[in-house]
């Protein structure tokens, strides 16, 4: 799965609001089966022990300790323990807002991943369960934080599992062409017309299409990628501020202004801090920084 597909997903996840509505730990023994159900919420499910089968629509999936699944709302499913096994699992229900579309399906995200050591994920489920029942002012914030960490564990194991390959939708495949072009031409002038022409769309329609999938305008994305690349370049002792600006296609003054707005630091100050050469600064601002750098 391409890292650019993850860029698409990250742009959505960073802007989405998640609400965890329920969580619990369950066990099934023998050939015991939970009743089939269709949930209005999305469902995260982690097997902690034993073996069993997940029945979903007209398909069945083997489940064992470390199987981690994200199931979208509206899918009928049930869990069944294998003969002689005690199938134990954590689950939590959640809702997602902000352009709530089946982005997992469009990108081709797998419904299941395998986690060799599920202890971190188990601890996060336990924390979610505790915070759902806690009556403290910070419980909701802790709940959201724990859930986002849980999503991160899932994504980390998709990256690690190179054997999982799903087919993205045609819309995502077209977007891949655009994102590849941006990464390969950061040092060049990039216009909306250039990007729209790559996939034969009118520029006005392309802006709407791009924003619906990425959560930002094409030019916002180009500038974001330029600044992300610049941040990496500045960590290289051999690359000075002028070189970094040139390699991402920005004039030095514009680059310095954009980079400071993005990170809160001028490029040269950021570079010194990353390389461990910055001296402590008293007061506000960046004393000693060359203007425009």
């Amino acid at each position: 799965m391409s890292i650019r597909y993850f860029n698409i997903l990250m742009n959505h996840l960073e802007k989405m609001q998640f609400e965890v509505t329920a969580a619990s730990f369950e066990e099934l023994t023998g050939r015991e089966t939970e009743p089939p159900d269709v949930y209005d919420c999305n469902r995260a499910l982690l097997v902690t022990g034993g073996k069993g089968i997940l029945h979903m629509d007209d398909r069945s999936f083997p489940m064992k300790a470390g199987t981690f699944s994200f199931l979208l709302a509206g899918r009928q499913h049930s869990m069944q323990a294998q003969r002689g096994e005690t199938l134990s699992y954590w689950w939590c229900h959640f809702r997602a807002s902000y352009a709530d579309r089946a982005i997992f399906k469009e990108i081709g995200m797998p419904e299941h991943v395998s986690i060799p050591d599920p202890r971190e994920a188990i601890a996060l489920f336990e924390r979610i369960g505790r915070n759902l029942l806690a009556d403290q002012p910070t419980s909701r914030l802790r709940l959201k934080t724990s859930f986002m960490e849980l999503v991160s564990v899932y994504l980390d194991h998709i990256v690690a599992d190179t054997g999982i390959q799903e087919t993205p939708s045609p819309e995502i495949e077209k977007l891949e062409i655009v994102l590849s072009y941006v990464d390969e031409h950061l040092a060049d002038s990039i216009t909306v017309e250039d990007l729209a022409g790559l996939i034969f769309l009118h520029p006005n329609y392309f802006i709407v299409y791009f924003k619906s999938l990425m959560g930002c305008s094409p030019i916002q994305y180009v500038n974001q990628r330029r600044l992300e690349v610049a941040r990496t370049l500045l960590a290289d002792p051999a690359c000075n501020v002028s070189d970094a600006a040139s390699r991402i296609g920005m004039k030095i003054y514009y680059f310095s202004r954009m980079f400071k707005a993005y990170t809160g630091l001028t490029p040269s100050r950021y570079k010194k801090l990353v390389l461990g050469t910055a001296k402590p600064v008293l007061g506000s601002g960046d004393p000693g920084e060359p203007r425009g750098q």
Side-chain angles (χ1 to χ4, degrees):
M1 188 172 294
S2 167
I3 191 64
R4 292 188 184 91
Y5 292 166
F6 278 88
N7 285 341
I8 299 169
L9 185 64
M10 292 304 106
N11 273 273
H12 278 265
L13 290 175
E14 287 171 6
K15 297 174 178 65
M16 291 179 79
Q17 297 295 318
F18 292 96
E19 179 188 8
V20 179
T21 58
S24 184
F25 177 79
E26 293 192 31
E27 288 186 334
L28 300 173
T29 59
R31 286 191 171 179
E32 191 176 3
T33 305
E34 66 175 6
D37 207 342
V38 177
Y39 298 95
D40 294 329
C41 299
N42 303 304
R43 199 179 204 206
L45 189 152
L46 174 70
V47 177
T48 60
K51 294 180 180 179
I53 299 172
L54 170 66
H55 301 288
M56 186 165 60
D57 297 334
D58 57 350
R59 297 177 294 160
S60 295
F61 301 90
M63 307 290 278
K64 62 180 182 179
T67 302
F68 191 9
S69 307
F70 269 84
L71 311 177
L72 298 177
R75 305 289 299 276
Q76 178 173 311
H77 64 274
S78 65
M79 294 285 284
Q80 179 183 11
Q82 285 188 7
R83 181 190 294 272
E85 295 278 348
T86 297
L87 181 67
S88 58
Y89 56 96
W90 269 99
W91 58 262
C92 73
H93 292 176
F94 66 95
R95 299 183 185 277
S97 60
Y98 169 79
D100 190 11
R101 53 195 298 158
I103 197 70
F104 280 68
K105 281 186 178 180
E106 292 188 18
I107 296 176
M109 300 288 285
E111 293 169 321
H112 318 281
V113 296
S114 179
I115 304 180
D117 184 355
R119 285 177 294 183
E120 180 185 5
I122 291 171
L124 289 168
F125 269 105
E126 291 173 344
R127 197 181 307 162
I128 287 170
R130 288 196 302 270
N131 281 303
L132 272 170
L133 301 176
D135 186 19
Q136 296 177 342
T138 59
S139 296
R140 291 176 62 184
L141 183 59
R142 294 177 185 275
L143 186 62
K144 183 179 294 187
T145 301
S146 298
F147 183 76
M148 290 307 297
E149 286 190 57
L150 196 62
V151 173
S152 298
V153 170
Y154 174 72
L155 295 174
D156 284 342
H157 284 84
I158 291 177
V159 175
D161 194 344
T162 56
I164 295 177
Q165 293 292 331
E166 301 271 336
T167 302
S169 72
E171 294 299 299
I172 296 297
E173 288 184 327
K174 286 194 296 185
L175 187 59
E176 168 79 353
I177 296 171
V178 175
L179 300 187
S180 296
Y181 180 89
V182 169
D183 280 348
E184 293 165 6
H185 294 81
L186 286 178
D188 304 328
S189 174
I190 300 175
T191 67
V192 170
E193 289 74 17
D194 293 334
L195 301 179
L198 293 171
I199 53 176
F200 309 103
L201 295 179
H202 187 280
N204 291 342
Y205 179 76
F206 172 74
I207 291 172
V208 175
Y209 156 83
F210 189 93
K211 194 167 185 178
S212 71
L213 290 173
M214 293 299 292
C216 61
S217 73
I219 298 306
Q220 285 174 327
Y221 176 78
V222 170
N223 286 331
Q224 176 186 315
R225 286 295 298 140
R226 282 175 167 155
L227 293 171
E228 288 171 351
V229 170
R231 198 168 51 189
T232 301
L233 291 172
L234 291 172
D236 181 355
C239 181
N240 61 36
V241 174
S242 296
D243 291 337
S246 176
R247 287 167 67 176
I248 63 169
M250 285 187 176
K251 299 292 186 182
I252 184 67
Y253 176 75
Y254 183 61
F255 169 58
S256 295
R257 182 160 57 88
M258 290 281 289
F259 192 87
K260 187 168 184 179
Y262 180 61
T263 66
L265 299 166
T266 62
S268 52
R269 178 69 182 166
Y270 175 85
K271 184 174 183 66
K272 290 176 182 177
L273 287 168
V274 168
L275 297 177
T277 58
K279 295 180 180 179
V281 176
L282 300 177
S284 61
D286 290 329
E289 288 295 327
R291 185 166 301 203
Q293 294 187 31

